[in-house]
Amino acid sequence: MAIKPFFLENCIQAQQAAHTLLRKPLINSFVRLQSSKPNNYVATRCRSVALAQCSSSSLSQDQISFFESEGYLVLEDFASAEECRQLRSRAGEIVEEFQPGPTTSIFSSKNQKDKTDEYFLDSASNISCFFEEKAFDSDGALTQDKSLSINKIGHALHDLDPAFQLFSRSPQMAAVASAVGFANPTPVQSMYIFKQPHIGGECIPHQDTTFLYTEPHSCVGFWFALQDATLQNGCLWVLPKSHTSGVTRRMLLTEDRRITFEGSIPEFQDDKFIPVQVKEGTLVLLHGALWHKSFENTSEKSRHAYTVHFVEGSNKWDPQNWLQRSGNNPFKPLERIN
């Protein structure tokens, strides 16, 4: 069941925030309640501001032109240090509460076809934890604490967890979405990615539209660095301008709920990819057709990130996408958050 946020009436601050440059803290205005449930957050900042009130002036024309030309854009200081800390803390609570079942679900970008199971498919409408491939020994036992073994949390944080919901649906997010061309921005997928020390898995070159296909194409990824992302701990790498060549691969859900891939990953010259090393709090926008990747984290430092993928709500959502919401939990555009 989706958790609905609490709103304040006549919240002038929300209207003002929609016209500022992505710097005002969002989550540090939450009130943590004393409760038997540790995820009982109440939002004290209004989020009912209409999308039309969000100004595209949040991005300059040069920034918009760069995104259109290169397929990505780096926006420093989007989130405050306190926002990042609170999101990390909330993710830690989710992992602490997570009790693995008899069958553990592992996420691997290299072997998605083989690793996909009902737990993964059901995560479209849930908050689910997935283990790292290298978290287990040859006997199937964890080689380190559970908190250091999770690859990611997905895929409906933006709708079901109050802290992530309010961050994902803020006026600042709506303003950026409007600036890059969305008329009806609709978040369809969210992931908290841990990139654990020593075992954080490689993410092979991919285009986000491969997994989140609309007609016409409309996917844009909002990737937030919740810790510094460096060469050592597995920062993003992007292939500039690659979004202009179209989408070459699809991940498809068959009638018997199995995953198959159509198309292929082109041969790339590795030296054409460039690293995106960013500080905590940075937002990286990724065009849905841009090729990007990250390497394994072999360092002693984690690289936490939160990503939300938006599509144009009026565009047709492909029925063969792996991510299919149940009828009582439909996609909700930014302005429809209750």
Side-chain angles (χ1 to χ4, degrees):
M1 181 176 69
I3 304 170
K4 295 182 180 180
F6 172 79
F7 299 100
L8 294 179
E9 297 292 335
N10 301 320
C11 183
I12 298 174
Q13 294 95 322
Q15 298 181 20
Q16 295 171 337
H19 295 276
T20 61
L21 182 58
L22 321 175
R23 297 292 293 269
K24 293 187 71 174
L26 303 177
I27 294 174
N28 60 7
S29 61
F30 291 174
V31 175
R32 183 67 182 275
L33 298 185
Q34 297 299 321
S35 168
S36 59
K37 294 184 178 181
N39 64 346
N40 191 4
Y41 285 88
V42 172
T44 62
R45 182 183 296 274
C46 178
R47 290 293 186 265
S48 59
V49 59
L51 184 63
Q53 293 174 310
C54 296
S55 170
S56 61
S57 64
S58 60
L59 297 182
S60 69
Q61 186 55 53
D62 285 346
Q63 289 173 317
I64 295 170
S65 296
F66 184 92
F67 177 73
E68 293 173 347
S69 170
E70 305 302 311
Y72 74 100
L73 180 66
V74 175
L75 299 172
E76 296 180 340
D77 299 321
F78 185 96
S80 69
E82 179 61 12
E83 289 180 90
C84 293
R85 185 196 67 77
Q86 292 200 37
L87 287 181
R88 293 196 304 267
S89 176
R90 180 67 193 121
E93 291 177 347
I94 292 171
V95 171
E96 179 67 23
E97 297 164 12
F98 167 59
Q99 296 300 322
T103 302
T104 56
S105 188
I106 295 171
F107 178 80
S108 169
S109 69
K110 295 180 179 179
N111 303 305
Q112 278 184 285
K113 183 177 178 180
D114 296 331
K115 298 296 183 183
T116 297
D117 53 17
E118 283 298 318
Y119 181 82
F120 179 87
L121 296 177
D122 289 344
S123 72
S125 298
N126 294 322
I127 296 174
S128 306
C129 294
F130 300 87
F131 284 98
E132 286 281 3
E133 272 193 297
K134 294 183 177 180
F136 302 91
D137 62 21
S138 58
D139 296 323
L142 286 177
T143 58
Q144 60 279 307
D145 188 78
K146 179 181 67 173
S147 65
L148 297 174
S149 302
I150 301 298
N151 173 285
K152 70 175 180 178
I153 305 170
H155 289 94
L157 286 161
H158 61 284
D159 280 340
L160 301 182
D161 184 86
F164 285 96
Q165 182 188 52
L166 271 293
F167 182 84
S168 305
R169 295 178 174 277
S170 71
Q172 289 90 331
M173 293 281 277
V176 174
S178 176
V180 297
F182 281 103
N184 190 24
T186 302
V188 294
Q189 174 182 272
S190 53
M191 298 179 288
Y192 190 101
I193 304 167
F194 290 88
K195 207 72 163 179
Q196 302 284 8
H198 304 296
I199 64 169
E202 174 188 5
C203 194
I204 64 172
H206 65 281
Q207 299 168 298
D208 291 335
T209 298
T210 291
F211 313 99
L212 307 170
Y213 197 90
T214 63
E215 186 60 46
H217 300 167
S218 61
C219 179
V220 175
F222 285 54
W223 188 98
F224 300 91
L226 301 182
Q227 294 177 324
D228 294 351
T230 67
L231 291 174
Q232 290 71 36
N233 68 1
C235 69
L236 287 173
W237 290 69
V238 301
L239 184 59
K241 300 184 184 296
S242 59
H243 65 300
T244 61
S245 299
V247 177
T248 66
R249 193 173 186 237
R250 290 283 315 280
M251 179 177 172
L252 303 173
L253 181 66
T254 64
E255 291 184 359
D256 59 351
R257 288 178 64 80
R258 295 182 182 274
I259 290 297
T260 185
F261 283 90
E262 183 180 87
S264 60
I265 300 176
E267 294 290 331
F268 294 113
Q269 293 179 273
D270 285 342
D271 62 354
K272 300 298 183 182
F273 280 86
I274 62 172
V276 185
Q277 299 188 81
V278 295
K279 293 292 186 181
E280 172 188 290
T282 299
L283 165 60
V284 182
L285 296 177
L286 299 166
H287 189 285
L290 184 81
W291 287 95
H292 57 287
K293 63 180 182 178
S294 65
F295 293 106
E296 289 185 356
N297 180 8
T298 58
S299 76
E300 296 182 353
K301 294 183 177 180
S302 59
R303 191 227 66 190
H304 289 204
Y306 175 60
T307 182
V308 188
H309 290 94
F310 287 85
V311 300
E312 183 59 51
S314 59
N315 291 9
K316 180 184 177 182
W317 182 253
D318 196 292
Q320 287 188 290
N321 284 335
W322 81 266
L323 196 158
Q324 299 294 332
R325 283 289 187 88
S326 56
N328 62 352
N329 188 22
F331 297 135
K332 303 177 184 69
L334 284 191
E335 68 271 30
R336 291 174 53 200
I337 56 178
N338 61 353

